[in-house]
Amino acid sequence: MRLTVEQIIAYQTEGYLIVPEALSEADLRPVIGELEREIDERARRLFAEGKLKALYEEEPFERRYAFLYRECREIGKGFDIQHLLGEAMFRHLGSEKLLDVAECLLGSEISCNPIQHLRAKLPSAYAGDEPDYFQNVPWHQDCAVTTPDSEASEIITFWMPLVDATAETGCMEVMPGAFKRGYLDHRAEGGTMIDPAKLPEIVPVRAECPKGSLVIMNKYTPHRGIGNRSGIVRWSIDLRYHKTGANSGRSFQPSFPVRSARDPESVLRDAGEWRRLWREVSEAKGQKLHRV
Ligand SMILES: O=C(O)CCC(=O)C(=O)O
Ligand SMILES: [Fe+2]
């Protein structure tokens, strides 16, 4: 799918764009299958260790993790892209459909940015004493989790839910047009958040996004994730892309070319190499990831 000129202009003036039906069920199936297998393996291990009373095998992807998590938090330990390093997830990062969209905004030399997350937003009734910002991601700009030497880089967020993201399951809210104000001061308490005194007085848009659709955001667009009042897990993946050669804002973590018209050979197609790059940096502890 290519973006229309109208969509590109909307993105460039509002700082965000919802792209309907960018991915099909079949496109998301390998990633979801990989997560289901991971959840199953973890559940069986924790069950064998006596940390779970049941496996909840009959529960679907949308619910199983919540039941398991309620009984044993350990199920969620390291449950993120850079720790799981799954083959299907690696293929998803370089998905032709995502890159066709990214190319409309970034051109044909595209790298995958290392700031990427898998999020299991639990039904609030299951989250227990989890800090609030874990479930309700506060107002922030994604540039706040990059190093300031990447100020000149265009780093575009591609947020995609693996279930329908609605006001009930916990979609995002974004502030249209606010990216034009550039970086707003953030503070670290309660999760990286825009200093409340600096928060623009702009009426936010509720970015409801069905499964298969995308929310694309400029790195200066203020946004937040609202709570999950539903009975299912609001699974989502957020990825970022930048122009190959631009500062990624995380130079100490692996960026790699996912599309190149100039040098197609440079595209990383080997999941093993991707894993090696991540394992190498995972050992380097103590890096400051956020600006505040
Ligand atoms: O998923 C959410 O609720 C917030 C996600 C977010 O802030 C992001 O993807 O940049
Ligand atoms: Fe964000």
Side-chain angles (χ1 to χ4, degrees):
M1 174 195 283
R2 304 272 157 185
L3 297 178
T4 63
V5 172
E6 289 76 17
Q7 284 176 309
I8 295 172
I9 292 171
Y11 172 75
Q12 289 174 345
T13 51
E14 304 295 345
Y16 81 98
L17 179 71
I18 299 176
V19 185
E21 294 174 30
L23 302 167
S24 66
E25 280 288 333
D27 296 328
L28 293 172
R29 197 61 234 154
V31 166
I32 293 176
E34 187 166 88
L35 296 175
E36 283 175 330
R37 287 191 296 280
E38 179 70 26
I39 292 166
D40 191 58
E41 270 172 36
R42 287 176 177 228
R44 284 175 199 284
R45 181 172 44 77
L46 294 168
F47 185 77
E49 291 170 6
K51 294 174 179 165
L52 281 171
K53 291 196 281 296
L55 286 170
Y56 300 101
E57 278 173 286
E58 67 293 348
E59 293 295 340
F61 174 64
E62 290 75 16
R63 282 206 304 263
R64 187 178 185 195
Y65 184 83
F67 284 113
L68 295 165
Y69 190 89
R70 185 164 58 174
E71 271 186 34
C72 180
R73 298 278 162 103
E74 200 179 323
I75 190 98
K77 197 160 170 251
F79 212 89
D80 205 345
I81 298 174
Q82 74 192 70
H83 306 297
L84 299 175
L85 297 173
E87 176 88 27
M89 187 62 84
F90 175 71
R91 301 276 158 238
H92 187 68
L93 305 180
S95 144
E96 296 297 325
K97 289 195 184 172
L98 291 178
L99 298 177
D100 284 348
V101 175
E103 186 168 337
C104 297
L105 303 172
L106 286 167
S108 61
E109 308 302 314
I110 310 173
S111 279
C112 182
N113 188 281
I115 305 172
Q116 50 195 203
H117 296 290
L118 169 67
R119 297 177 201 254
K121 188 182 282 197
L122 294 158
S124 50
Y126 289 44
D129 53 7
E130 209 88 80
D132 192 48
Y133 62 83
F134 193 82
Q135 295 300 323
N136 301 283
V137 179
W139 285 111
H140 67 282
Q141 298 168 306
D142 281 354
C143 65
V145 298
T146 61
T147 47
D149 54 1
S150 63
E151 207 70 88
S153 306
E154 201 176 349
I155 301 171
I156 303 184
T157 300
F158 277 56
W159 185 95
M160 64 212 79
L162 302 177
V163 299
D164 290 344
T166 62
E168 212 200 344
T169 60
C171 62
M172 279 196 294
E173 285 186 345
V174 301
M175 286 191 182
F179 74 99
K180 292 168 192 156
R181 303 183 190 193
Y183 177 69
L184 304 165
D185 286 336
H186 282 62
R187 56 183 220 195
E189 314 89 69
T192 300
M193 64 189 279
I194 297 172
D195 178 347
K198 304 282 170 62
L199 192 66
E201 285 181 13
I202 290 178
V203 180
V205 169
R206 198 157 266 187
E208 290 195 310
C209 182
K211 180 180 180 186
S213 301
L214 310 173
V215 181
I216 301 179
M217 284 185 300
N218 182 292
K219 68 174 183 177
Y220 296 119
T221 292
H223 60 284
R224 68 172 175 179
I226 61 172
N228 179 357
R229 294 180 279 113
S230 77
I232 64 167
V233 179
R234 199 240 42 210
W235 286 102
S236 65
I237 298 174
D238 45 277
L239 309 176
R240 284 153 196 80
Y241 295 102
H242 61 268
K243 287 185 180 149
T244 299
N247 189 311
S248 72
R250 289 276 174 98
S251 345
F252 45 90
Q253 291 179 338
S255 292
F256 56 91
V258 280
R259 178 169 285 187
S260 173
R262 200 171 45 196
D263 182 12
E265 291 298 302
S266 65
V267 169
L268 184 66
R269 302 196 190 276
D270 176 7
E273 176 62 8
W274 176 60
R275 292 192 186 105
R276 196 191 62 72
L277 291 169
W278 266 115
R279 287 188 181 131
E280 213 173 69
V281 295
S282 294
E283 267 107 67
K285 295 259 172 3
Q287 286 282 3
K288 190 167 168 12
L289 298 184
H290 295 192
R291 290 197 190 191
V292 290

